[in-house]
Amino acid sequence: METTSAWNTTGLHVRRNVGLLHRSFYWGHNSVILFSGWPGSSPGMYALALIFVFVLAVMVEWLSYCSFIKPGANKVGAGFFQTGLYAVRAGLSYLVMLALISFNGGVFLVAIFGHAVGFLIFGSRAFRKSEKSPDLPPRK
């Protein structure tokens, strides 16, 4: 545990315990990801944190490639809805980025893997429904 000291806005000298602050990538389950004290030193909670970051990354890709607005929808309402979805996607993207600031190698790998799996499922042609092919004249 590190102790740092700083001056606050009232001019008083404040000392506080900072916790696990890494400035380079490290491997291990004893880390702090997104929230103070989470996941702690438990390997099970670390696995849950990795699953959480993975799901966040997949959700970012899902929101990037899905279309909820049907043709012919009210343009103003559709615009507000699309803006709301964009804000949610940006927020989820920032959560993934903040998780990466932990400098934990496992978090980095699951974030990349989550984005890749999300793109594979929602953005690539591998699982996309067949696109309509141009009408060809009948063969003789």
Side-chain angles (χ1 to χ4, degrees):
M1 191 78 59
E2 275 182 50
T3 302
T4 63
S5 61
W7 294 91
N8 67 11
T9 57
T10 61
L12 297 175
H13 196 259
V14 178
R15 295 179 68 82
R16 63 181 178 170
N17 290 334
V18 176
L20 300 170
L21 290 177
H22 295 276
R23 293 191 172 105
S24 62
F25 277 109
Y26 69 97
W27 301 94
H29 67 275
N30 193 8
S31 63
V32 176
I33 302 169
L34 290 178
F35 309 106
S36 178
W38 189 68
S41 59
S42 167
M45 290 302 289
Y46 177 70
L48 181 65
L50 293 180
I51 292 168
F52 181 72
V53 171
F54 176 82
V55 169
L56 281 177
V58 171
M59 286 176 59
V60 166
E61 294 299 321
W62 174 61
L63 288 173
S64 296
Y65 292 102
C66 66
S67 177
F68 292 109
I69 300 171
K70 301 195 188 250
N74 179 354
K75 289 185 180 185
V76 174
F80 280 116
F81 184 73
Q82 189 176 17
T83 301
L85 283 178
Y86 179 82
V88 169
R89 182 177 61 105
L92 294 175
S93 297
Y94 284 128
L95 278 175
V96 172
M97 180 191 65
L98 287 172
L100 291 173
I101 291 175
S102 70
F103 285 103
N104 184 284
V107 172
F108 177 74
L109 291 178
V110 298
I112 298 296
F113 190 62
H115 281 293
V117 168
F119 179 81
L120 176 68
I121 294 171
F122 305 112
S124 74
R125 296 175 187 230
F127 295 106
R128 194 177 294 170
K129 293 178 184 174
S130 63
E131 296 176 11
K132 191 174 184 179
S133 60
D135 294 328
L136 299 174
R139 289 188 163 172
K140 293 183 181 183

